[in-house]
Amino acid sequence: MGATDVLSRKKGVIVGDDVLNLFKYAREHEFAIPAINVTSSSTVVAALEAARDSKSPIILQTSQGGAAYFAGKGVSNEGQFASIQGAIAAAHYIRAIAPAYGIPVVLHTDHCAKKLLPWLDGMLDADEAYFKQHGEPLWSSHMVDLSEESKEENIAITRKYAQRMAPMKQWIEMEIGITGGEEDGVDNTGVDNAALYTQPEDIYEVYMALSSIYPYFSIAAGFGNVHGVYKPGNVKLHPELLAKHQAYTTQKISSGDPKPLFLVFHGGSGSSKEEFSTAIKSGVVKVNLDTDLQYAYLCGIRDYMLKKKDYIMSQVGNPEGEDKPNKKYFDPRVWVREGEKTMVTRVKKGLHDFNTVNKL
Protein backbone atom coordinates (compact mmCIF):
# COMPACT_ATOMS: atom_id res chain seq x y z
CA MET A 1 0.00 0.00 0.00
CA GLY A 2 1.21 3.49 -0.81
CA ALA A 3 0.02 7.06 -0.51
CA THR A 4 -1.86 6.95 -3.81
CA ASP A 5 -4.12 4.25 -2.35
CA VAL A 6 -5.71 6.85 -0.08
CA LEU A 7 -6.15 9.40 -2.89
CA SER A 8 -9.04 9.69 -5.32
CA ARG A 9 -6.78 11.65 -7.71
CA LYS A 10 -3.51 9.81 -8.22
CA LYS A 11 -1.59 12.41 -10.21
CA GLY A 12 -1.62 16.14 -10.73
CA VAL A 13 -2.83 18.78 -8.29
CA ILE A 14 -4.88 17.33 -5.44
CA VAL A 15 -7.40 19.17 -3.26
CA GLY A 16 -9.77 18.77 -0.32
CA ASP A 17 -10.01 15.33 1.23
CA ASP A 18 -7.09 14.10 -0.87
CA VAL A 19 -4.81 16.67 0.80
CA LEU A 20 -6.14 15.66 4.22
CA ASN A 21 -5.67 11.96 3.48
CA LEU A 22 -2.16 12.48 2.12
CA PHE A 23 -1.09 14.34 5.26
CA LYS A 24 -2.75 11.69 7.45
CA TYR A 25 -0.83 9.00 5.59
CA ALA A 26 2.43 10.94 5.94
CA ARG A 27 1.91 11.45 9.67
CA GLU A 28 1.06 7.79 10.22
CA HIS A 29 4.01 6.51 8.16
CA GLU A 30 6.41 9.15 9.49
CA PHE A 31 7.53 11.00 6.41
CA ALA A 32 7.29 14.66 5.46
CA ILE A 33 6.68 16.18 2.04
CA PRO A 34 9.12 18.85 0.86
CA ALA A 35 7.54 22.19 0.00
CA ILE A 36 9.54 23.69 -2.84
CA ASN A 37 9.45 27.42 -3.51
CA VAL A 38 9.12 27.81 -7.28
CA THR A 39 9.70 31.01 -9.22
CA SER A 40 9.61 29.83 -12.86
CA SER A 41 8.59 26.96 -15.10
CA SER A 42 12.20 25.77 -14.85
CA THR A 43 12.15 25.38 -11.06
CA VAL A 44 8.69 23.78 -11.28
CA VAL A 45 9.83 21.02 -13.64
CA ALA A 46 13.04 20.41 -11.67
CA ALA A 47 11.00 19.74 -8.51
CA LEU A 48 8.51 17.56 -10.39
CA GLU A 49 11.30 15.56 -12.04
CA ALA A 50 12.95 14.84 -8.67
CA ALA A 51 9.66 13.73 -7.12
CA ARG A 52 8.75 11.55 -10.10
CA ASP A 53 12.14 9.82 -10.09
CA SER A 54 11.85 9.27 -6.32
CA LYS A 55 8.24 8.03 -6.48
CA SER A 56 7.25 10.73 -4.03
CA PRO A 57 4.50 13.31 -3.58
CA ILE A 58 5.62 16.94 -3.64
CA ILE A 59 4.39 20.37 -2.55
CA LEU A 60 4.99 23.28 -4.91
CA GLN A 61 4.53 26.75 -3.47
CA THR A 62 4.96 30.36 -4.48
CA SER A 63 5.84 33.13 -2.09
CA GLN A 64 4.53 36.65 -2.62
CA GLY A 65 7.83 37.71 -4.16
CA GLY A 66 8.20 34.49 -6.12
CA ALA A 67 4.72 34.94 -7.56
CA ALA A 68 5.56 38.47 -8.66
CA TYR A 69 8.69 37.14 -10.35
CA PHE A 70 6.59 34.50 -12.12
CA ALA A 71 4.53 37.36 -13.60
CA GLY A 72 7.69 39.11 -14.78
CA LYS A 73 9.71 41.87 -13.15
CA GLY A 74 8.33 44.31 -15.70
CA VAL A 75 4.81 44.06 -14.23
CA SER A 76 3.83 46.56 -11.53
CA ASN A 77 3.08 45.09 -8.12
CA GLU A 78 0.97 48.01 -6.98
CA GLY A 79 -1.89 46.60 -4.94
CA GLN A 80 -0.20 43.15 -5.16
CA PHE A 81 -1.20 43.00 -8.84
CA ALA A 82 1.92 41.18 -10.09
CA SER A 83 1.90 38.79 -7.11
CA ILE A 84 -1.74 37.89 -7.71
CA GLN A 85 -1.39 37.47 -11.47
CA GLY A 86 1.90 35.60 -11.15
CA ALA A 87 0.46 33.23 -8.57
CA ILE A 88 -2.53 32.55 -10.83
CA ALA A 89 -0.24 31.96 -13.81
CA ALA A 90 1.94 29.58 -11.79
CA ALA A 91 -1.12 27.70 -10.53
CA HIS A 92 -2.52 27.16 -14.02
CA TYR A 93 0.89 26.14 -15.36
CA ILE A 94 1.42 23.62 -12.55
CA ARG A 95 -2.09 22.24 -12.98
CA ALA A 96 -1.39 21.78 -16.70
CA ILE A 97 2.03 20.12 -16.43
CA ALA A 98 1.90 18.16 -13.14
CA PRO A 99 -0.15 15.20 -14.50
CA ALA A 100 2.61 14.55 -17.04
CA TYR A 101 4.90 13.59 -14.17
CA GLY A 102 2.46 11.03 -12.76
CA ILE A 103 2.64 12.11 -9.10
CA PRO A 104 0.29 13.87 -6.66
CA VAL A 105 1.09 17.54 -6.13
CA VAL A 106 -0.09 19.89 -3.40
CA LEU A 107 -0.32 23.42 -4.82
CA HIS A 108 0.37 25.90 -2.04
CA THR A 109 1.21 29.55 -1.36
CA ASP A 110 3.82 30.48 1.23
CA HIS A 111 4.04 33.08 4.03
CA CYS A 112 1.38 35.76 3.85
CA ALA A 113 2.03 38.41 6.50
CA LYS A 114 -0.62 40.94 7.52
CA LYS A 115 0.65 43.56 5.09
CA LEU A 116 0.34 41.01 2.26
CA LEU A 117 -3.27 39.96 2.93
CA PRO A 118 -4.50 41.75 -0.24
CA TRP A 119 -2.41 39.16 -2.13
CA LEU A 120 -4.27 36.34 -0.39
CA ASP A 121 -7.61 38.07 -0.97
CA GLY A 122 -6.89 38.24 -4.70
CA MET A 123 -5.96 34.55 -4.82
CA LEU A 124 -9.09 33.57 -2.91
CA ASP A 125 -11.17 35.50 -5.43
CA ALA A 126 -9.53 33.34 -8.12
CA ASP A 127 -10.14 30.23 -6.02
CA GLU A 128 -13.83 30.97 -5.69
CA ALA A 129 -14.19 31.68 -9.40
CA TYR A 130 -12.41 28.42 -10.22
CA PHE A 131 -14.53 26.55 -7.66
CA LYS A 132 -17.72 27.87 -9.22
CA GLN A 133 -16.63 26.48 -12.58
CA HIS A 134 -14.82 23.27 -11.59
CA GLY A 135 -16.09 22.33 -8.13
CA GLU A 136 -12.66 22.74 -6.50
CA PRO A 137 -10.35 25.67 -5.66
CA LEU A 138 -7.46 26.67 -7.90
CA TRP A 139 -4.94 26.06 -5.12
CA SER A 140 -4.84 23.12 -2.74
CA SER A 141 -3.88 25.35 0.18
CA HIS A 142 -2.72 28.74 1.38
CA MET A 143 -0.61 29.92 4.31
CA VAL A 144 -1.62 32.78 6.57
CA ASP A 145 1.37 34.00 8.58
CA LEU A 146 0.35 36.48 11.26
CA SER A 147 3.02 35.34 13.70
CA GLU A 148 4.27 38.92 14.10
CA GLU A 149 0.85 40.00 15.39
CA SER A 150 -0.64 39.33 18.82
CA LYS A 151 -1.80 35.79 19.43
CA GLU A 152 -5.40 36.96 19.64
CA GLU A 153 -5.27 38.81 16.32
CA ASN A 154 -3.36 35.99 14.67
CA ILE A 155 -5.97 33.41 15.60
CA ALA A 156 -8.97 35.67 14.87
CA ILE A 157 -7.84 36.61 11.36
CA THR A 158 -6.71 33.08 10.52
CA ARG A 159 -10.08 31.78 11.66
CA LYS A 160 -11.83 34.30 9.39
CA TYR A 161 -9.88 33.03 6.39
CA ALA A 162 -10.56 29.41 7.33
CA GLN A 163 -14.27 30.17 7.33
CA ARG A 164 -14.00 31.62 3.82
CA MET A 165 -12.01 28.61 2.60
CA ALA A 166 -14.17 25.97 4.29
CA PRO A 167 -16.85 25.67 1.57
CA MET A 168 -14.05 24.72 -0.86
CA LYS A 169 -12.43 22.26 1.58
CA GLN A 170 -9.25 24.22 1.07
CA TRP A 171 -6.34 23.58 3.41
CA ILE A 172 -4.96 26.44 5.52
CA GLU A 173 -1.53 26.61 7.12
CA MET A 174 -0.91 29.08 9.92
CA GLU A 175 2.15 30.09 11.89
CA ILE A 176 2.34 30.85 15.57
CA GLY A 177 5.79 31.58 16.93
CA ILE A 178 8.10 33.52 14.66
CA THR A 179 10.51 32.03 12.14
CA GLY A 180 13.71 34.04 12.39
CA GLY A 181 15.91 35.33 9.59
CA GLU A 182 14.80 37.16 6.47
CA GLU A 183 12.79 35.98 3.47
CA ASP A 184 10.97 37.85 0.72
CA GLY A 185 11.23 41.20 2.45
CA VAL A 186 9.96 39.97 5.85
CA ASP A 187 12.86 40.56 8.23
CA ASN A 188 12.80 38.82 11.61
CA THR A 189 16.55 38.87 12.21
CA GLY A 190 16.23 41.07 15.29
CA VAL A 191 13.37 39.38 17.14
CA ASP A 192 13.70 38.24 20.75
CA ASN A 193 14.97 34.66 20.86
CA ALA A 194 12.08 33.59 23.10
CA ALA A 195 9.62 34.46 20.30
CA LEU A 196 11.11 31.64 18.19
CA TYR A 197 9.64 29.00 20.52
CA THR A 198 5.88 28.37 20.57
CA GLN A 199 4.17 27.27 23.76
CA PRO A 200 1.91 24.14 23.89
CA GLU A 201 -0.98 26.22 25.24
CA ASP A 202 -0.87 28.43 22.14
CA ILE A 203 -0.90 25.42 19.82
CA TYR A 204 -3.94 24.03 21.62
CA GLU A 205 -5.73 27.37 21.32
CA VAL A 206 -5.12 27.39 17.57
CA TYR A 207 -6.30 23.78 17.30
CA MET A 208 -9.57 24.55 19.08
CA ALA A 209 -10.20 27.69 17.01
CA LEU A 210 -9.72 25.93 13.66
CA SER A 211 -11.01 22.42 14.40
CA SER A 212 -14.40 23.93 15.20
CA ILE A 213 -14.57 24.99 11.53
CA TYR A 214 -13.03 22.06 9.65
CA PRO A 215 -10.14 19.56 9.77
CA TYR A 216 -8.13 21.01 6.88
CA PHE A 217 -5.36 22.87 8.68
CA SER A 218 -1.75 22.64 9.76
CA ILE A 219 0.35 24.62 12.22
CA ALA A 220 3.86 25.94 11.79
CA ALA A 221 5.07 26.03 15.37
CA GLY A 222 8.31 27.80 16.22
CA PHE A 223 11.08 25.69 17.71
CA GLY A 224 14.00 27.99 16.96
CA ASN A 225 13.53 27.97 13.17
CA VAL A 226 15.38 30.50 11.03
CA HIS A 227 15.10 31.15 7.29
CA GLY A 228 18.34 30.78 5.36
CA VAL A 229 21.57 28.92 6.14
CA TYR A 230 23.89 29.91 8.96
CA LYS A 231 27.14 28.72 10.52
CA PRO A 232 26.78 25.62 12.74
CA GLY A 233 25.88 26.59 16.29
CA ASN A 234 24.28 29.91 15.37
CA VAL A 235 20.78 28.41 15.21
CA LYS A 236 19.39 26.42 18.16
CA LEU A 237 16.64 24.12 16.93
CA HIS A 238 14.62 22.11 19.44
CA PRO A 239 12.33 19.84 17.38
CA GLU A 240 11.77 17.70 20.47
CA LEU A 241 9.35 20.43 21.62
CA LEU A 242 6.91 19.35 18.92
CA ALA A 243 6.20 16.05 20.70
CA LYS A 244 5.20 18.08 23.77
CA HIS A 245 2.73 20.05 21.65
CA GLN A 246 1.15 16.82 20.45
CA ALA A 247 0.99 15.39 23.98
CA TYR A 248 -0.56 18.55 25.41
CA THR A 249 -3.31 18.76 22.78
CA THR A 250 -3.95 15.00 23.02
CA GLN A 251 -4.47 15.34 26.75
CA LYS A 252 -6.70 18.39 26.48
CA ILE A 253 -9.04 16.87 23.90
CA SER A 254 -8.91 13.37 25.44
CA SER A 255 -7.90 11.93 22.09
CA GLY A 256 -6.86 8.36 21.40
CA ASP A 257 -4.65 9.72 18.64
CA PRO A 258 -1.18 10.54 20.03
CA LYS A 259 -0.57 12.95 17.14
CA PRO A 260 -3.73 14.99 16.50
CA LEU A 261 -1.79 17.93 15.00
CA PHE A 262 -0.45 18.38 11.47
CA LEU A 263 2.80 20.29 11.97
CA VAL A 264 5.06 22.17 9.56
CA PHE A 265 8.84 22.70 9.64
CA HIS A 266 9.88 26.14 8.38
CA GLY A 267 13.47 27.20 7.75
CA GLY A 268 14.50 23.66 6.77
CA SER A 269 17.59 24.60 4.75
CA GLY A 270 20.80 23.75 6.58
CA SER A 271 19.14 21.56 9.23
CA SER A 272 20.51 18.13 10.12
CA LYS A 273 18.90 14.83 9.20
CA GLU A 274 18.56 14.08 12.90
CA GLU A 275 16.62 17.30 13.44
CA PHE A 276 14.33 16.43 10.52
CA SER A 277 13.81 12.91 11.86
CA THR A 278 12.88 14.12 15.35
CA ALA A 279 10.41 16.61 13.90
CA ILE A 280 8.83 14.09 11.52
CA LYS A 281 8.35 11.53 14.30
CA SER A 282 6.52 14.28 16.18
CA GLY A 283 3.98 14.83 13.41
CA VAL A 284 5.66 17.19 10.93
CA VAL A 285 4.20 16.42 7.49
CA LYS A 286 5.62 19.36 5.50
CA VAL A 287 9.14 20.79 5.40
CA ASN A 288 9.93 24.01 3.56
CA LEU A 289 13.05 24.04 1.37
CA ASP A 290 14.16 27.17 -0.42
CA THR A 291 17.64 28.53 0.32
CA ASP A 292 19.45 25.25 -0.32
CA LEU A 293 17.61 24.87 -3.62
CA GLN A 294 18.38 28.39 -4.76
CA TYR A 295 22.06 27.66 -4.25
CA ALA A 296 21.81 24.24 -5.90
CA TYR A 297 20.21 25.80 -8.99
CA LEU A 298 22.96 28.40 -9.15
CA CYS A 299 25.71 25.77 -8.89
CA GLY A 300 24.79 24.02 -12.12
CA ILE A 301 24.69 27.27 -14.09
CA ARG A 302 27.80 28.66 -12.41
CA ASP A 303 29.86 25.56 -13.09
CA TYR A 304 28.72 25.43 -16.70
CA MET A 305 29.62 29.07 -17.28
CA LEU A 306 33.06 28.62 -15.74
CA LYS A 307 33.73 25.47 -17.74
CA LYS A 308 32.50 26.96 -21.02
CA LYS A 309 33.77 30.48 -20.48
CA ASP A 310 35.79 30.54 -23.70
CA TYR A 311 32.74 29.37 -25.69
CA ILE A 312 30.29 32.03 -24.49
CA MET A 313 32.26 35.25 -24.84
CA SER A 314 31.06 35.77 -28.41
CA GLN A 315 28.59 34.26 -30.85
CA VAL A 316 31.39 33.08 -33.12
CA GLY A 317 34.92 32.04 -32.24
CA ASN A 318 36.23 29.72 -29.54
CA PRO A 319 39.38 27.67 -28.74
CA GLU A 320 38.48 25.29 -31.57
CA GLY A 321 38.66 28.03 -34.20
CA GLU A 322 37.92 31.71 -34.77
CA ASP A 323 35.08 30.84 -37.17
CA LYS A 324 33.43 28.23 -34.95
CA PRO A 325 29.83 29.09 -33.91
CA ASN A 326 28.90 29.05 -30.21
CA LYS A 327 25.13 28.83 -30.39
CA LYS A 328 25.00 25.35 -28.89
CA TYR A 329 26.83 26.68 -25.84
CA PHE A 330 24.90 29.91 -25.17
CA ASP A 331 21.42 28.56 -25.98
CA PRO A 332 19.51 29.11 -22.69
CA ARG A 333 18.04 25.63 -22.97
CA VAL A 334 21.54 24.27 -22.42
CA TRP A 335 22.71 26.24 -19.40
CA VAL A 336 19.31 26.58 -17.71
CA ARG A 337 19.06 22.79 -17.85
CA GLU A 338 22.34 22.56 -15.93
CA GLY A 339 20.69 24.50 -13.10
CA GLU A 340 17.71 22.17 -13.22
CA LYS A 341 19.96 19.13 -12.93
CA THR A 342 21.67 20.32 -9.77
CA MET A 343 18.33 21.39 -8.28
CA VAL A 344 16.90 17.94 -9.05
CA THR A 345 19.79 16.35 -7.15
CA ARG A 346 19.21 18.57 -4.11
CA VAL A 347 15.45 17.96 -4.07
CA LYS A 348 16.13 14.22 -4.18
CA LYS A 349 18.36 14.60 -1.12
CA GLY A 350 15.51 16.32 0.69
CA LEU A 351 13.11 13.56 -0.27
CA HIS A 352 15.59 11.02 1.10
CA ASP A 353 16.20 12.97 4.31
CA PHE A 354 12.46 13.32 4.95
CA ASN A 355 11.82 9.59 4.35
CA THR A 356 9.58 10.40 1.37
CA VAL A 357 11.19 8.17 -1.29
CA ASN A 358 9.04 5.32 -2.66
CA LYS A 359 5.95 6.37 -0.71
CA LEU A 360 3.59 6.26 -3.68
Side-chain angles (χ1 to χ4, degrees), residues 291-326:
T291 305
D292 282 354
L293 299 182
Q294 290 177 344
Y295 188 70
Y297 191 90
L298 164 70
C299 286
I301 296 173
R302 178 201 65 197
D303 293 350
Y304 176 85
M305 293 298 179
L306 292 173
K307 183 179 179 181
K308 301 295 185 182
K309 178 178 178 293
D310 293 334
Y311 292 80
I312 59 172
M313 301 307 290
S314 61
Q315 292 191 59
V316 178
N318 60 49
E320 298 174 26
E322 61 181 20
D323 60 345
K324 295 290 185 180
N326 292 321

Side-chain angles (χ1 to χ4, degrees), residues 63-66 111 113 115-116 145 148 181-189 227 290 294:
S63 65
Q64 179 261 357
H111 294 269
K115 66 181 180 181
L116 303 180
D145 178 6
E148 292 185 304
E182 189 274 337
E183 183 175 64
D184 260 342
V186 178
D187 189 351
N188 291 327
T189 54
H227 286 131
D290 186 22
Q294 290 177 344

Side-chain angles (χ1 to χ4, degrees), residues 17-312:
D17 287 324
D18 276 346
V19 176
L20 176 62
N21 290 333
L22 176 61
F23 285 150
K24 282 182 176 179
Y25 187 88
R27 187 175 61 185
E28 178 185 353
H29 292 84
E30 296 188 347
F31 68 91
I33 306 167
I36 311 302
N37 282 69
V38 294
T39 56
S40 64
S41 60
S42 178
T43 51
V44 167
V45 297
L48 290 172
E49 181 179 335
R52 180 201 63 197
D53 293 352
S54 302
K55 296 181 173 59
S56 305
I58 199 77
I59 300 169
L60 300 183
Q61 60 188 26
T62 54
S63 65
Q64 179 261 357
Y69 186 85
F70 218 106
K73 295 296 284 185
V75 177
S76 169
N77 206 20
E78 184 177 353
Q80 300 297 322
F81 179 73
S83 291
I84 293 168
Q85 296 307 121
I88 291 171
H92 282 290
Y93 172 69
I94 292 168
R95 275 187 168 272
I97 199 62
Y101 286 81
I103 57 169
V105 175
V106 177
L107 181 56
H108 182 62
T109 60
D110 203 10
H111 294 269
C112 183
K114 186 177 181 180
K115 66 181 180 181
L116 303 180
L117 288 176
W119 173 49
L120 178 57
D121 293 335
M123 292 188 292
L124 286 174
D125 288 344
D127 276 316
E128 288 163 348
Y130 194 89
F131 183 84
K132 186 175 182 180
Q133 185 175 359
H134 301 281
E136 62 183 55
L138 181 55
W139 286 270
S140 313
S141 57
H142 295 293
M143 180 184 182
V144 179
D145 178 6
L146 303 173
S147 56
E148 292 185 304
E149 315 308 321
S150 69
K151 179 183 68 175
E152 292 73 21
E153 185 176 16
N154 184 351
I155 293 174
I157 295 177
T158 301
R159 181 178 166 83
K160 181 188 73 172
Y161 278 103
Q163 288 170 328
R164 181 175 178 181
M165 296 159 70
M168 298 181 285
K169 291 187 175 181
Q170 189 175 40
W171 194 274
I172 190 169
E173 177 186 333
M174 70 87 67
E175 181 167 346
I176 187 162
I178 292 173
T179 299
E182 189 274 337
E183 183 175 64
D184 260 342
V186 178
D187 189 351
N188 291 327
T189 54
V191 300
D192 178 31
N193 192 55
L196 304 179
Y197 300 93
T198 310
Q199 299 304 307
E201 294 82 0
D202 296 338
I203 298 294
Y204 171 66
E205 195 170 339
V206 171
Y207 176 86
M208 293 303 294
L210 296 181
S211 64
S212 62
I213 299 172
Y214 68 172
Y216 310 101
F217 67 92
S218 52
I219 303 171
F223 52 94
N225 318 60
V226 176
H227 286 131
V229 178
Y230 298 85
K231 289 182 179 180
N234 284 9
V235 176
K236 304 292 185 183
L237 287 180
H238 291 281
E240 70 277 3
L241 296 175
L242 299 177
K244 296 181 180 180
H245 298 330
Q246 295 281 14
Y248 185 86
T249 297
T250 296
Q251 179 187 13
K252 294 293 287 186
I253 64 175
S254 301
S255 172
D257 184 353
K259 292 187 285 190
L261 307 169
F262 295 103
L263 298 174
V264 177
F265 190 139
H266 280 265
S269 292
S271 301
S272 70
K273 188 173 180 179
E274 181 181 4
E275 287 166 338
F276 288 132
S277 179
T278 299
I280 290 166
K281 288 178 181 177
S282 300
V284 163
V285 296
K286 172 180 178 279
V287 180
N288 282 18
L289 278 182
D290 186 22
T291 305
D292 282 354
L293 299 182
Q294 290 177 344
Y295 188 70
Y297 191 90
L298 164 70
C299 286
I301 296 173
R302 178 201 65 197
D303 293 350
Y304 176 85
M305 293 298 179
L306 292 173
K307 183 179 179 181
K308 301 295 185 182
K309 178 178 178 293
D310 293 334
Y311 292 80
I312 59 172

